[in-house]
């Protein structure tokens, strides 16, 4: 499963959904970790953009998935707010792997910029990526999965030189862990349109995109009122044949839909 959690905004729906589904591998974007704060909620402020954030989403999802190994990949440490009090908070990706699947390789890196330790930084901000290789006894093969949260450009989701570099770095993370014969998967919130150079590049490298390729009309929920109905993608590499793929429309647990792939 790949899901942008929206900072845990719809926590009351998100937590039971993840607990009930308990995917073998959960690739989660927009994960907040504020270890010094006892609060359940903090506030993110970026100009006119103000959003409630689940203060310790990493801890909360870890508690909801006790049979999983949590792997946190922060992109930056910035400031959230408890009223008028600043709270240092980490923000990034997390991958949760069921303990039945041994982790036999992983790499953490950046698809845009590098780690920001003293603030979230100027837009487009740092973005991390994570690739993990697990051994699946049922398939009798390795499965290599990479996720990213693509950079957010205030000007929009158009093609840029930074996004071209990002796509190559992202694929490089996967190739750093994948072995010959593996099933390979790329996923996440790419922050690009279906006709983007990013997806064209990945297609040229042999990856099949399952969202628009499967005729799914959007990856956004009713909580996202803006135009542009795509952000999230799931791609499979050569010799990787999905048994099933779903863009989950109900329940709504974020302003993004969960993407669920079965191999």
């Amino acid at each position: 499963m790949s899901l942008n959690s929206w900072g845990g905004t719809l926590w009351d729906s998100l937590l039971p959904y993840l607990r009930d589904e308990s995917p073998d591998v959960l690739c989660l974007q927009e994960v907040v970790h504020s270890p010094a704060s006892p609060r359940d909620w903090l506030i993110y402020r970026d100009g006119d953009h103000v959003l409630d954030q689940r203060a310790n989403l990493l801890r909360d999802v870890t508690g909801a998935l006790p049979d999983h190994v949590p792997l946190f990949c922060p992109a930056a440490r910035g400031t959230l707010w408890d009223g008028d009090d600043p709270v240092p908070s980490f923000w990034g990706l997390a991958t949760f792997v069921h303990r039945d699947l041994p982790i036999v390789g992983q790499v953490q890196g950046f698809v845009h910029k590098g780690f920001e330790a003293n603030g979230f930084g100027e837009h487009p901000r740092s973005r991390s990526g994570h690739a993990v290789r697990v051994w699946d006894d049922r398939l009798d093969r390795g499965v290599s999965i990479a996720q990213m949260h693509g950079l957010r450009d205030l000007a929009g989701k158009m093609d840029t030189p930074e996004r071209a570099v990002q796509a190559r770095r992202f694929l490089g993370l996967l190739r750093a862990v994948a072995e010959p014969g593996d099933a390979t998967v790329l996923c996440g919130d790419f922050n690009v349109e279906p006709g983007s150079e990013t997806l064209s590049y990945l297609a040229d490298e042999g990856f099949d995109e399952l969202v628009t390729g499967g005729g799914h009309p959007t990856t956004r929920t009713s909580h996202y009122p803006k135009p542009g109905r795509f952000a999230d993608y799931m791609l499979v590499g050569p010799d990787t044949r999905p048994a099933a793929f779903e863009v989950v429309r109900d329940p709504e647990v974020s302003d993004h839909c969960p993407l669920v792939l079965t191999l």
Side-chain angles (χ1 to χ4, degrees):
M1 177 186 294
S2 178
L3 172 63
N4 182 319
S5 72
W6 200 20
T9 300
L10 299 182
W11 178 247
D12 288 345
S13 300
L14 176 65
L15 178 62
Y17 173 73
L18 294 179
R19 182 187 293 121
D20 291 346
E21 292 298 314
S22 188
D24 295 319
V25 179
L26 170 63
C27 297
L28 198 64
Q29 300 97 51
E30 290 198 15
V31 177
V32 181
H33 178 47
S34 311
S37 176
R39 300 293 189 186
D40 289 334
W41 295 95
L42 296 170
I43 303 296
Y44 169 76
R45 298 173 183 161
D46 182 18
D48 294 334
H49 190 197
V50 178
L51 184 66
D52 289 337
Q53 298 279 278
R54 190 73 182 175
N56 280 292
L57 187 63
L58 176 65
R59 177 199 63 197
D60 297 335
V61 177
T62 299
L65 298 174
D67 294 326
H68 289 64
V69 176
L71 304 164
F72 181 50
C73 305
R77 181 183 63 183
T79 299
L80 299 181
W81 296 89
D82 180 5
D84 292 329
D85 296 326
V87 178
S89 298
F90 295 93
W91 182 94
L93 308 171
T95 307
F96 298 82
V97 180
H98 197 281
R99 297 181 191 276
D100 287 346
L101 292 171
I103 298 168
V104 296
Q106 64 172 306
V107 62
Q108 175 181 347
F110 284 80
V111 295
H112 182 65
K113 295 183 176 177
F115 181 69
E116 294 279 1
N118 299 300
F120 293 125
E122 297 296 323
H123 294 285
R125 291 171 169 167
S126 295
R127 295 297 170 122
S128 53
H130 185 227
V132 62
R133 182 174 189 255
V134 301
W135 185 261
D136 189 324
D137 278 336
R138 179 182 58 86
L139 297 176
D140 192 30
R141 68 191 303 199
V143 180
S144 292
I145 303 164
Q147 68 152 321
M148 74 167 176
H149 186 180
L151 68 88
R152 176 174 177 258
D153 191 319
L154 297 182
K157 295 180 179 178
M158 66 288 178
D159 294 324
T160 64
E162 291 81 8
R163 284 189 166 116
V165 172
Q166 173 179 262
R168 285 158 175 78
R169 288 182 176 177
F170 182 41
L171 184 55
L173 291 175
L174 179 72
R175 287 176 168 167
V177 299
E179 298 286 345
D182 281 5
T184 50
V185 181
L186 296 168
C187 64
D189 175 0
F190 291 7
N191 265 326
V192 299
E193 298 290 351
S196 67
E197 291 179 356
T198 295
L199 295 179
S200 294
Y201 164 71
L202 295 175
D204 289 344
E205 295 296 317
F207 287 82
D208 292 328
E209 191 272 302
L210 302 178
V211 175
T212 58
H216 299 279
T218 182
T219 63
R220 306 306 296 253
T221 71
S222 65
H223 295 277
Y224 186 80
K226 302 175 186 178
R229 305 306 299 167
F230 295 93
D232 312 273
Y233 298 93
M234 185 88 72
L235 301 93
V236 294
D239 302 320
T240 305
R241 296 292 173 261
F245 175 73
E246 182 180 8
V247 177
V248 178
R249 307 290 304 156
D250 182 38
E252 294 190 341
V253 298
S254 169
D255 61 344
H256 297 252
C257 297
L259 309 184
V260 180
L261 171 68
T262 303
L263 295 177

